[in-house]
Amino acid sequence: ENSVNFIDTARYYGNSEKFLGIALKGHRDEVILATKSLIATPDISRQSLETSLSLLQLDGVDLLYAHACDNEDRYDDLTRKNGMLKTLESIREEGITRFLGVSFNHFLPFERDRTGVDRMKTLIMTDAFDVIQVPMSLIRIERIEEEVLPLAAEYDMGVVVNFPTAN
């Protein structure tokens, strides 16, 4: 009753999805479940989700992240015409996930004249995502507070923090 109800997992976290699949039997409706698909080609992204769902022993999740949009190449894979974002939108339309998110692990310095914060802001403004996951802690705020959080609020986007204890 007074416990954690948001579970964020990924295939890249060891055997977490396999063990969660077992643990959630009979309790799926008690949690909000998020998983991630590494940013790649549309086919690889869909296959990654299908593997996750098989391990979780589920037909769908609440939130699916495009994971680790940490450099320009992954940003391009995500946003190119008929790229991963189009696949993610199809997955949402099929009812396999309720919400789409994009996650960032860190902020790289300028790359092609943009920073990670610039990429975050651009993706928020696409209005394609419901959630953004950002690296943030008391000692690692970067420009999140001034630039990303207000923009996410303006677009009615949820924010999930990763590395809150500074990893």
Side-chain angles (χ1 to χ4, degrees):
E1 185 173 304
N2 293 320
S3 61
V4 174
N5 72 340
F6 178 72
I7 300 173
D8 180 330
T9 189
R11 286 183 45 221
Y12 325 103
Y13 300 167
N15 291 315
S16 67
E17 290 182 334
K18 177 182 173 185
F19 293 128
L20 275 171
I22 295 165
L24 290 176
K25 281 199 182 287
H27 301 282
R28 173 60 183 96
D29 59 340
E30 299 171 23
V31 299
I32 298 166
L33 182 62
T35 194
K36 299 175 177 78
S37 177
L38 202 58
I39 296 173
T41 66
D43 290 341
I44 291 172
S45 299
R46 186 173 284 275
Q47 181 181 19
S48 174
L49 174 61
E50 290 170 0
T51 300
S52 289
L53 292 174
S54 175
L55 290 168
L56 290 163
Q57 302 174 48
L58 297 172
D59 296 328
V61 293
D62 298 300
L63 170 59
L64 176 61
Y65 287 106
H67 184 50
C69 190
D70 295 325
N71 60 52
E72 284 294 317
D73 290 336
R74 287 189 179 164
Y75 175 86
D76 290 345
D77 288 341
L78 179 61
T79 58
R80 82 168 43 96
K81 185 177 180 181
N82 297 319
M84 183 180 178
L85 181 54
K86 184 169 178 64
T87 299
L88 293 174
E89 290 171 331
S90 294
I91 288 167
R92 180 171 42 194
E93 288 170 11
E94 293 165 24
I96 298 170
T97 189
R98 292 172 44 207
F99 303 105
L100 295 178
V102 60
S103 75
F104 292 80
N105 289 329
H106 55 78
F107 307 100
L108 292 176
F110 281 96
E111 185 179 8
R112 295 190 211 156
D113 297 323
R114 294 196 316 174
T115 65
V117 168
D118 295 331
R119 284 191 296 277
M120 287 179 195
K121 291 166 44 180
T122 301
L123 289 171
I124 290 170
M125 291 185 288
T126 66
D127 212 23
F129 296 98
D130 305 294
V131 175
I132 186 168
Q133 185 178 51
V134 296
M136 185 174 166
S137 72
L138 293 175
I139 62 171
R140 189 174 161 190
I141 294 174
E142 312 278 338
R143 294 179 358 229
I144 297 291
E145 283 188 331
E146 297 92 21
E147 297 183 42
V148 175
L149 297 182
L151 189 61
E154 180 182 330
Y155 280 80
D156 198 28
M157 177 182 268
V159 176
V160 175
V161 173
N162 61 0
F163 309 120
T165 57
N167 203 15

